[in-house]
Amino acid sequence: MNTETLDIQTVSTTPFTDQRPGTSGLRKSVVDFQKPHYLENFIQAIFNSLDGCAGKTLVVGGDGRYYNRHAVQIILKMAAANGLAKIILGQGGILSTPAASCVIRKHKTDGGIILSASHNPGGPKGDFGVKFNISNGGPAPEKVTEAIFARSKELQSYKILSCPDIDIDTIGTVQVGAMQLQVIDSVDDYQQLVESVFDFDQIYALIKGGSFRMCFDAMHAVTGPYGHAIFEKRLGAPAGTVIAGKILEDFGGGHPDPNLTYAHDLVEILFGKDAPDFGAASDGDGDRNMILGRNFFVTPSDSIALMTANHKLIPAYSKGIAGVARSMPTSRAADRVAAKMGIKCYETPTGWKFFGNLMDAGLANLCGEESFGSGADHIREKDGVWSILFWLNILAARKESVADIVKKHWQEYGRNYYSRHDYEEVDSEKAHDLMEKLDANLASMKGKKFGSRTVDFADDFSYTDPVDQSVAKNQGIRIHFTDESRMVFRLSGTGTRGATIRLYLESLELDAAKQGLDAQVALKELIDIADEVSQLKALTGRDKPTVIT
Ligand code: G1P
Ligand code: ZN
């Protein structure tokens, strides 16, 4: 094709100052993204941060929320104008975050752009987001996101191809200007990958056996098609197993975050009469998961510990794993398993990007976060459907109930009572003030007594990556007590309105007779100490958290 005949426009623009990617990409309200040039500037900043665009291939896909299709058109036209060789696009602009990671790796592309604000609500008044993933399939590390931010601040113009809207719904390969566009099935590559990890025959036998029932809530978000294809079509679960399986641009008005508060439909089913044996939900872009048994909630921290303890039941991990990694605020249940099994356990800052180096170097194979995220080195993102399949594989192999499996685990390793209290949309200044005051007191905390507890140490978590020695500072304030209980305070890096204070609480119970309490009851004293230490109620004017998980 003669590129001189293409109508490539160079549009002048002025930089925005607020395009620094957060915990998980650039996440803003749709209204922000609709500002003239806002999306285009950020996309151009991504392209400018690449080491030249010529000959490069990127994957593009998103969670189907409002603005997804519009953004896909802009990205394709800009990619063609910037000289990319090829874009691989999920049909209709749909790819879950784990599927995008899988496609990047499988097709050995130079990275990918994922359109999602994860679990944040969608729709014209909701949020939108853009994440850049690198060639290992994982979220761009800080040096890359900082380079994108730097480019965004100096941007004077962007390039875009002037052409009619492109057909993004028909599978096949077409030309967009001088660029190739390959539209692929959104599920196929991903399904093939998970089939190579788990024992699908064993899970099929469990589901077809007749006495096992499950329910999967896709929350009207991206995992609907994955759930229908994998749980119903491939694994034989009856139609109706997947609920809220149709992707809606506003997620049906819901908040697609799989936790006890927002996945209430599923919670009602699993805690209701004649409940199924197993329930699970995933979030907006398919990387999170919640696991439920009949009348039973598995905390994400316990889930990663249980996966570690049971990894030998899974074909892909049956020969053993090198290590497990968890984010700092995640409970230390996995550490206990790792210690007993003689494998390494790594503690990283919050955010999946910190696991990438550990997985690339073969140090950690399984990773998890308390925020309903777990995954492994089959890709470089956390993975909702993978996590659910992991549990199904455990259930199929052990033939016990979810509750029995978890309770036996506690008896063997102890129960790490755990809860996270979120204070959302707090005035930003007040939230920072609280963190600064906590910080200022850290040095004098050691040895202090609060109720029955004595402070062992208190610090602001700092992490040195064991692979590239990069340092991440100020990753959350930890107050550890001598009885192995602890609390962590940090500010969210993904919120789009005000500040969100997250308080993480954990205490260890080794006595099986005392492992059956409600977490809020078991953690009561610690909750009170947290307020005493931080003066949270007084400083923020809030008397209770907005969300408890
Ligand atoms: C939150 C979670 C974190 C997760 C991230 C992206 O980030 O706490 O574990 O990796 O969302 O899903 P935060 O808002 O706390 O910065
Ligand atoms: Zn997500």
Side-chain angles (χ1 to χ4, degrees), residues 187-241:
V187 180
D188 279 355
D189 285 336
Y190 176 79
Q191 182 171 339
Q192 274 174 32
L193 179 62
V194 289
E195 287 202 34
S196 74
V197 172
F198 298 104
D199 190 338
F200 267 54
D201 292 341
Q202 201 175 32
I203 303 173
Y204 183 87
L206 171 76
I207 290 176
K208 277 292 183 193
S211 59
F212 178 85
R213 283 183 300 130
M214 68 174 278
C215 179
F216 170 64
D217 187 353
M219 304 189 84
H220 286 303
V222 79
T223 52
Y226 298 83
H228 285 304
I230 296 171
F231 301 129
E232 292 179 350
K233 215 166 140 214
R234 174 64 181 83
L235 289 169
T241 296

Side-chain angles (χ1 to χ4, degrees), residues 211-216 241 266-280 292-296 401-402:
S211 59
F212 178 85
R213 283 183 300 130
M214 68 174 278
C215 179
F216 170 64
T241 296
L266 180 76
V267 172
E268 261 168 43
I269 294 171
L270 267 292
F271 285 82
K273 246 182 81 195
D274 194 29
D277 304 272
F278 179 70
L292 301 175
R294 178 182 297 131
N295 265 302
F296 197 86
S401 74
V402 172

Side-chain angles (χ1 to χ4, degrees), residues 23 288 350-351 369-371 382 420 490 492-494 502:
T23 310
R288 294 187 174 198
T350 297
E369 291 193 276
E370 52 66 40
S371 52
K382 58 189 176 235
R420 181 175 109 183
R490 60 177 284 281
S492 157
T494 58
R502 302 204 198 282

Side-chain angles (χ1 to χ4, degrees), residues 278-359:
F278 179 70
S282 191
D283 72 327
D285 63 331
D287 56 358
R288 294 187 174 198
N289 75 92
M290 176 170 72
I291 301 295
L292 301 175
R294 178 182 297 131
N295 265 302
F296 197 86
F297 166 62
V298 185
T299 70
S301 291
D302 278 347
S303 183
I304 184 67
L306 268 132
M307 287 176 177
T308 309
N310 289 280
H311 70 265
K312 294 234 162 106
L313 301 175
I314 310 296
Y317 318 116
S318 60
K319 293 201 178 67
I321 56 173
V324 56
R326 60 159 177 87
S327 67
M328 180 275 281
T330 303
S331 97
R332 289 161 299 165
D335 305 41
R336 304 183 67 77
V337 177
K340 210 161 179 177
M341 293 187 124
I343 58 175
K344 288 280 273 182
C345 183
Y346 298 85
E347 181 178 48
T348 61
T350 297
W352 205 260
K353 61 188 170 205
F354 293 100
F355 295 136
N357 277 353
L358 299 176
M359 290 193 271

